[in-house]
Amino acid sequence: QVQLVESGGGSVQTGGSLRLACAAFTYSYSVNCMAWFRQALGKEREGVAARSLRGRTYYADSVNGRFTIDRDISRNTLYLQMNSLKPEDTAMYYCAANTYDCSLGSWFSKDWYKSWGQGTQVTVSS
């Protein structure tokens, strides 16, 4: 398993932006698919976005066009730029990692990932 540490959460108003970061404490090329999940109070954890080592990206319909996932290989860090935030984006956001390419599994399924961060809270007020 890989140690993942998220940062960057906070409270913003509707329409605001936040940038989350997830530092992976392992050899960069040992982690292939990295993803962001979120879990709102009383709801299931859901996939938000994922990025494979080769750069292919995947997004949930609910965030497509508003969120951007990116990865700095040299810093071994995954990012999630969140723009045009809505109250329904309020959740705990988690970083996840897998040694396989995102295309080889269900990137949106929490059961496909073996490494998880501790989460960072995002709150969007109306």
Side-chain angles (χ1 to χ4, degrees):
Q1 291 191 355
V2 176
Q3 183 182 7
L4 302 171
V5 179
E6 302 99 332
S7 61
S11 297
V12 296
Q13 292 188 329
T14 297
S17 298
L18 282 173
R19 189 188 194 206
L20 306 183
C22 170
F25 293 90
T26 187
Y27 175 57
S28 294
Y29 292 93
S30 68
V31 176
N32 198 314
C33 185
M34 294 188 74
W36 288 99
F37 280 73
R38 66 186 181 187
Q39 187 167 16
L41 200 61
K43 295 189 176 181
E44 291 288 321
R45 190 172 297 191
E46 63 174 2
V48 174
R51 189 187 188 280
S52 65
L53 187 59
R54 59 180 175 172
R56 186 169 180 179
T57 57
Y58 305 79
Y59 295 95
D61 290 343
S62 59
V63 306
N64 198 19
R66 299 188 298 122
F67 291 9
T68 302
I69 189 169
D70 201 1
R71 181 174 175 180
D72 186 334
I73 300 297
S74 65
R75 296 178 182 269
N76 214 4
T77 301
L78 182 74
Y79 300 97
L80 185 68
Q81 178 65 43
M82 305 185 294
N83 298 328
S84 302
L85 283 162
K86 305 174 181 180
E88 50 263 45
D89 295 318
T90 295
M92 184 72 80
Y93 282 71
Y94 297 90
C95 177
N98 195 312
T99 55
Y100 296 102
D101 190 283
C102 303
S103 64
L104 298 177
S106 302
W107 74 264
F108 48 85
S109 171
K110 64 182 186 300
D111 297 328
W112 192 62
Y113 297 87
K114 300 188 185 305
S115 299
W116 290 89
Q118 81 289 349
T120 185
Q121 178 67 37
V122 171
T123 302
V124 184
S125 58
S126 57

